[in-house]
């Protein structure tokens, strides 16, 4: 069997409401927009194809961030929450040769390529559901086999993303411990900016 295509799916549409309306994709990290770092992490973790869902100030992100080779998806409904971005991202993968989507969030720079690679390696088939775990608690990144995309999209509303679907299928999720190699904090408030370099 040839290697399955596992596409990276980066959710980068957030408007950073608690950051004073600074879109998270454009936050400065190591001298470049945070979205560039997140794409690089997915690629270094094994994803040769990366789809990026943009929302807040999408035109500015396209202008300021260097994202060569990425499939960029505009989510006009980004303000509804993460669910709409997840739906838009999964829709962009339908009809491709992707067997799974490895989903990461732009505002988690403490999760690096090692954690991506570890979750990537949990893929077995289009029926796979896998997620990074931190001391046993499910977190990101998550891997959704293509068999699950329709169900996830149907349940992804508001800011919950795939939470309801994953709760319903908890027994099917392969948890991949990543607490030894990654830190799963979010950049949500001005106090969190300390994590950016």
């Amino acid at each position: 069997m040839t290697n399955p295509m596992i596409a990276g799916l980066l959710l980068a549409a957030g408007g950073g409401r608690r950051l004073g309306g600074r879109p998270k994709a454009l936050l400065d990290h190591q001298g470049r927009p945070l979205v560039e770092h997140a794409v690089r992490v997915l690629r270094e973790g094994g994803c040769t194809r990366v789809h990026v869902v943009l929302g807040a100030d999408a035109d500015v992100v396209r202008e300021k961030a260097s994202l060569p080779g990425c499939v960029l998806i505009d989510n006009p409904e980004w303000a509804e929450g993460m669910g709409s971005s997840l739906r838009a991202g999964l829709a962009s993968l339908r009809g491709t040769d992707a067997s799974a989507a490895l989903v990461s969030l732009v505002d988690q720079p403490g999760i690096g390529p090692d954690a991506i690679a570890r979750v990537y390696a949990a893929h077995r088939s289009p029926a796979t559901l896998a997620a990074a775990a931190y001391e046993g608690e499910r977190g990101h990144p998550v891997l959704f086999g293509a068999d699950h995309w329709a169900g996830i999209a149907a349940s992804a509303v508001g800011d919950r993303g795939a939470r309801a679907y994953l709760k319903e299928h908890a027994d099917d999720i392969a948890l991949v411990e990543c607490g030894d190699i990654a830190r799963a904090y979010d950049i949500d408030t001005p106090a969190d900016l300390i994590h950016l370099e």
Side-chain angles (χ1 to χ4, degrees):
M1 182 178 123
T2 57
N3 279 343
M5 163 55 74
I6 301 172
L9 177 54
L10 177 64
L11 305 185
R17 189 180 70 248
R18 287 180 283 171
L19 287 164
R22 296 164 66 189
K24 292 183 177 183
L26 289 171
L27 292 174
D28 189 66
H29 184 53
Q30 299 170 352
R32 296 298 305 160
L34 187 55
V35 66
E36 289 182 16
H37 169 79
V39 165
R40 187 173 67 248
V41 165
L42 279 167
R43 286 200 168 125
E44 290 176 2
C47 298
T48 53
R49 180 189 302 158
V50 178
H51 288 220
V52 182
V53 181
L54 302 176
D57 287 344
D59 51 343
V60 181
V61 176
R62 286 171 184 269
E63 181 188 317
K64 293 194 171 179
S66 175
L67 302 169
C70 291
V71 176
L72 303 181
I73 302 108
D74 285 319
N75 173 18
E77 298 169 352
W78 65 267
E80 289 178 15
M82 193 194 307
S84 65
S85 290
L86 184 55
R87 290 195 308 271
L90 291 175
S92 76
L93 289 169
R94 276 199 297 273
T96 71
D97 58 350
S99 171
L102 205 163
V103 181
S104 70
L105 308 180
V106 75
D107 67 346
Q108 293 191 321
I111 296 173
D114 292 346
I116 298 291
R118 212 176 261 186
V119 175
Y120 186 105
H123 180 271
R124 297 291 174 268
S125 76
T128 299
L129 280 177
Y134 300 89
E135 296 181 4
E137 292 290 311
R138 181 172 51 77
H140 285 88
V142 289
L143 186 143
F144 302 137
D147 291 356
H148 298 280
W149 294 352
I152 289 167
S155 72
V157 293
D159 222 15
R160 292 198 308 272
R163 198 173 303 156
Y165 188 89
L166 292 176
K167 189 173 181 183
E168 204 176 297
H169 295 82
D171 292 345
D172 304 323
I173 302 169
L175 290 180
V176 182
E177 183 57 48
C178 292
D180 57 322
I181 53 170
R183 294 178 299 143
Y185 54 78
D186 298 338
I187 307 293
D188 282 334
T189 68
D192 298 329
L193 295 173
I194 192 170
H195 295 299
L196 298 177
E197 297 167 23

